[in-house]
Every structure is written in C-alpha cells, then in structure tokens.
Amino acid sequence: MDAVHLRNLTAAYGGHQVLGPISLDIRPGEHIALVGRSGAGKSTLLNLLYDQVKDRAALVPQEQGLVQTLSVFHNVYMGRLASYSRWYNLVNLVAPRRRELEEIRPLLERLGMADKLRQPVEALSGGQKQRTAVARALYQQAAILLADEPVSALDGPMAHVVMGLVSEAYSTGVIALHDIDLALRYCDRIVGIQDGQIALDEPTQRLSPADLLPLY
C-alpha cells in the first residue's frame, strides 16, 4: 500500500472542537498504537482515518458492528461481501459454501471459537463478540487494519493471541489501545493523544511504560 498522509484533521461536536488540527503520516509496514485516556480523541481520529482509506482498510470498531441475529460465520463472511456478487452472497446466507467454511473455520480455531461457527452472535459473550469482529477483519484481508480497542474485553492470554494474529495478518495497522504493555510489545510506533492533540509520536524502542503513563 502507499503511505497515508493526514493533514490538519479536525473534529467538532456541538460546536466544540474535540480533535485537532492533527497531521499524521502512516507508512507501509508500520504498526501504530494510539494511546491515551478515554475521551482523548483516539476513536475520533480512527474514524477520520477510516473516512480517508475505507476503500483499502479493514475496520474493527469499538462497538463491533456485528449483526446480532446472524451466525458467527455470516458476520465473519461479511468482511468480503464486496468481493462477490449479490447472488453469491445470498447463496452463502442461505447455505454456506464449503470454500468459505474451510477458510473461516481455521480463523475461528485460532481465536478459540471453532465451536461457535453457527451460533448467532446475540448468544455470545462480550469477549466472543470482540473476537468475531477481529475474525471478520482478518478474513477481509485489506491493505491496512484500523482497530479501536480490539482486545478490551479479553483476558491476558487471549489478548496476546489476538494481537499476535492481527500483527501477523496486517503489515500495516493503526490500533487504539489502553493497555500500555500490549502497545509496546506489538507496535513499533506509539502515537499518544491528549486533549485532542498528538502529545507524543515516537518509535516504540525509545519508550518505556513510564513515558506513556502521563497520557493517562
């Protein structure tokens, strides 16, 4: 993918500016963690970024964006709806085809959810729903991953599994994280957001947890 250049992005709610102006360059091959306290502007920045690159990005939104009444299989399959004809998508809605089942089942196995393939999303726990949204992004195979707190509902071991999978599947990604240790371990660049501005932008190797704590 080509580099992404954001220039002087701003966002306002109710006449009050909550973000920016922010300029940010995202280079191919970078895993960027957005860190900062809740309400600092991380989600807003991710949404603005998605508006710029949605044609080549997979998004894991904080609210997950799942269809509760459909199965885990169908929610993951939605990652590639745009790749197939309407007829082919309808066929998979009625009776999932073997090819798609054989592609999606291994993803769910790696996420510890193989037994949930045909369960409706509404029957899942919060952590299982989060993993379903991650599986959809993995299945999409876009050029860049944008993820907003994709492991917030997961325990330590599974959070590491998910971060490892998304880092392996996407060479370029921007991920909002509250967990400083995960950010430092799985990302090579840290962008700290504070009061709607970029307060820190450094390679991970130059940083320690103590450097990030003032952002919280």
Side-chain angles (χ1 to χ4, degrees), residues 50-125:
Y50 184 62
D51 287 341
Q52 301 279 329
V53 300
K54 62 176 60 177
D55 59 329
R56 47 189 169 137
L59 177 68
V60 182
Q62 195 169 134
E63 67 278 8
Q64 299 159 1
L66 302 173
V67 181
Q68 300 293 316
T69 55
L70 291 182
S71 70
V72 169
F73 167 84
H74 288 109
N75 274 275
V76 175
Y77 176 78
M78 285 179 182
R80 291 193 197 167
L81 280 180
S83 301
Y84 303 116
S85 67
R86 182 178 298 179
W87 173 86
Y88 193 84
N89 289 331
L90 285 173
V91 168
N92 266 295
L93 179 62
V94 175
R97 297 172 67 87
R98 178 180 295 180
R99 184 181 71 178
E100 278 68 39
L101 285 169
E102 291 178 350
E103 290 178 338
I104 289 174
R105 186 178 284 111
L107 284 176
L108 295 177
E109 286 176 351
R110 297 185 72 180
L111 289 163
M113 291 187 56
D115 60 330
K116 307 298 182 184
L117 180 73
R118 297 183 184 274
Q119 283 199 13
V121 164
E122 62 190 358
L124 302 180
S125 68

Side-chain angles (χ1 to χ4, degrees), residues 110 158-169 186:
R110 297 185 72 180
M158 185 51 65
H160 283 283
V161 168
V162 168
M163 290 301 297
L165 283 174
V166 298
S167 298
E168 174 187 321
Y186 291 99

Side-chain angles (χ1 to χ4, degrees), residues 32-50 58-65 130 133-134 136-137 145-153 162-163 166 173-179:
I32 299 174
L34 299 181
V35 302
R37 65 172 61 94
S38 296
K42 302 188 302 296
S43 296
T44 301
L45 177 56
L46 270 179
N47 290 333
L48 290 174
L49 175 55
Y50 184 62
L59 177 68
V60 182
Q62 195 169 134
E63 67 278 8
Q64 299 159 1
Q130 196 163 61
V134 168
R136 180 185 57 200
L145 174 71
L146 305 178
D148 194 353
E149 299 292 344
V151 296
S152 60
V162 168
M163 290 301 297
V166 298
V174 182
I175 305 175
L177 290 167
H178 272 297
D179 191 307

